């Protein structure tokens, strides 16, 4: 039974067979049905899980995170083979051989990045989580998500936050996370912290296998060339 039929059944008997009464009900009921469907469609279109294209851009403006993030992608410049984003000399006999200009100390080192819908949707959801973060390391029932919980979601379980107890936090990220991802999270303000507290250092730390000494039971020492079973630790690396 549709909207119009429901209202037609409310007519008293003396008007039920009048064509004008039924036509008026169908007119208004049809209008109300279109408004109801439009409202439902708008809700779906601007649901962050279902929105695409311009709808995501509108949500991005509401949470103050645009799709284009400045200075993220490393520019291709002249360099050597150890740098995957560099190019060597051109070849006058081979026009297909790529080269690149020298770096300019006065020019930005990175280009802006325009996020595709799937990545943009994830970052918008993270920004909403950061906006609702409780500001504590581990939240109690009934509070918003904790700093540790948001960081775990942001890096898919490959990061953890340590409270330095001096009004600073330190972020440890597994080496499997790319530097560009860490920079993007930082640039988009998606790494939560309490008001007045910042991150002193962001470190790539191989979880469960960092290099260290025997006074720290959570670290590994040197590997042994003659003993394949002796696993060595990996050095941590400061990122930011």
């Amino acid at each position: 039974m549709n909207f119009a039929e429901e209202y037609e059944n409310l007519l008293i008997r003396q008007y039920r067979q009048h064509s004008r009464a039924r036509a008026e009900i169908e007119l208004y009921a049809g209008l109300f049905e279109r408004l109801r469907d439009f409202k439902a469609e708008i809700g779906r279109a601007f649901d962050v899980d279902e929105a695409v294209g311009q709808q995501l851009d509108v949500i991005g403006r509401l949470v103050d995170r645009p799709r284009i993030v400045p200075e993220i992608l490393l520019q291709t410049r002249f360099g050597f083979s150890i740098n995957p984003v560099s190019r060597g000399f051109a070849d006058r006999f081979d026009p297909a051989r790529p080269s690149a200009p020298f770096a300019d100390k006065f020019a930005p080192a990175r280009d802006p990045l325009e996020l595709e819908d799937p990545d943009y949707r994830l970052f918008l959801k993270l920004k909403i989580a950061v906006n609702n973060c409780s500001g504590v390391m581990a939240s109690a029932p009934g509070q918003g998500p904790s700093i540790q919980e948001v960081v775990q979601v942001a890096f898919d379980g490959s990061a953890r936050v340590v409270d330095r107890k001096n009004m600073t936090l330190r972020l440890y990220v597994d080496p499997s996370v790319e530097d560009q991802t860490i920079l993007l999270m930082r640039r988009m303000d998606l790494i939560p912290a309490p008001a007045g507290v910042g991150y002193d250092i962001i470190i790539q730390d191989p979880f469960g296998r960092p290099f260290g000494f025997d006074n720290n039971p959570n670290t590994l020492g040197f590997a042994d060339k003659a003993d394949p079973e002796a696993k060595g630790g990996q050095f941590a690396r400061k990122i930011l």
Side-chain angles (χ1 to χ4, degrees):
M1 183 178 295
N2 59 33
F3 207 55
E5 290 174 343
E6 291 180 5
Y7 273 86
E8 286 176 3
N9 289 335
L10 297 177
L11 283 172
I12 62 176
R13 183 178 299 275
Q14 68 185 93
Y15 291 112
R16 185 164 298 181
Q17 302 304 320
H18 287 203
S19 58
R20 290 185 178 181
R22 297 177 67 88
E24 185 174 359
I25 286 178
E26 290 177 359
L27 173 65
Y28 288 115
L31 176 61
F32 293 149
E33 281 186 339
R34 289 195 295 273
L35 290 174
R36 179 198 60 191
D37 295 342
F38 177 74
K39 180 180 178 181
E41 184 179 346
I42 286 292
R44 288 191 298 269
F46 288 94
D47 185 327
V48 69
D49 290 315
E50 298 187 20
V52 295
Q54 293 183 350
Q55 286 83 14
L56 277 176
D57 292 331
V58 172
I59 297 174
R61 288 196 292 270
L62 292 175
V63 300
D64 194 26
R65 278 300 167 268
R67 184 187 292 267
I68 298 177
V69 188
E71 297 185 27
I72 292 294
L73 298 176
L74 280 171
Q75 296 178 353
T76 301
R77 291 291 182 262
F78 178 82
F80 299 93
S81 58
I82 58 173
N83 186 346
V85 296
S86 66
R87 296 290 182 269
F89 290 105
D91 187 340
R92 64 180 298 184
F93 302 106
D94 183 8
R97 181 173 178 176
S99 184
F102 287 100
D104 184 345
K105 66 178 296 185
F106 300 106
R110 296 175 181 268
D111 288 326
L113 170 65
E114 183 172 357
L115 298 170
E116 298 293 335
D117 280 358
D119 293 330
Y120 192 36
R121 181 179 295 107
L122 171 62
F123 291 133
L124 289 179
K125 293 171 73 173
L126 287 174
K127 177 57 179 172
I128 294 170
V130 170
N131 289 345
N132 291 278
C133 184
S134 60
V136 296
M137 295 298 294
S139 60
Q143 293 182 327
S146 68
I147 293 173
Q148 203 73 259
E149 289 170 340
V150 175
V151 166
Q152 287 287 307
V153 172
F155 292 97
D156 196 21
S158 297
R160 67 183 187 274
V161 180
V162 174
D163 186 354
R164 300 277 292 164
K165 307 297 184 181
N166 60 356
M167 296 297 291
T168 64
L169 301 176
R170 182 166 293 179
L171 179 67
Y172 292 89
V173 184
D174 190 81
S176 61
V177 180
E178 296 181 355
D179 292 1
Q180 180 174 299
T181 300
I182 300 172
L183 178 61
L184 184 59
M185 293 288 185
R186 189 67 182 269
R187 188 64 53 80
M188 294 187 73
D189 195 23
L190 297 177
I191 306 176
V197 177
Y199 287 85
D200 62 344
I201 299 176
I202 296 178
I203 296 176
Q204 269 193 339
D205 177 45
F207 297 166
R209 53 190 188 278
F211 176 82
F213 299 95
D214 57 5
N215 63 347
N216 186 345
N218 298 316
T219 61
L220 299 175
F222 291 104
D224 189 338
K225 184 176 181 180
D227 181 8
E229 299 297 324
K231 301 297 183 182
Q234 299 180 26
F235 286 103
R237 184 167 69 96
K238 180 180 177 181
I239 301 298
L240 294 171

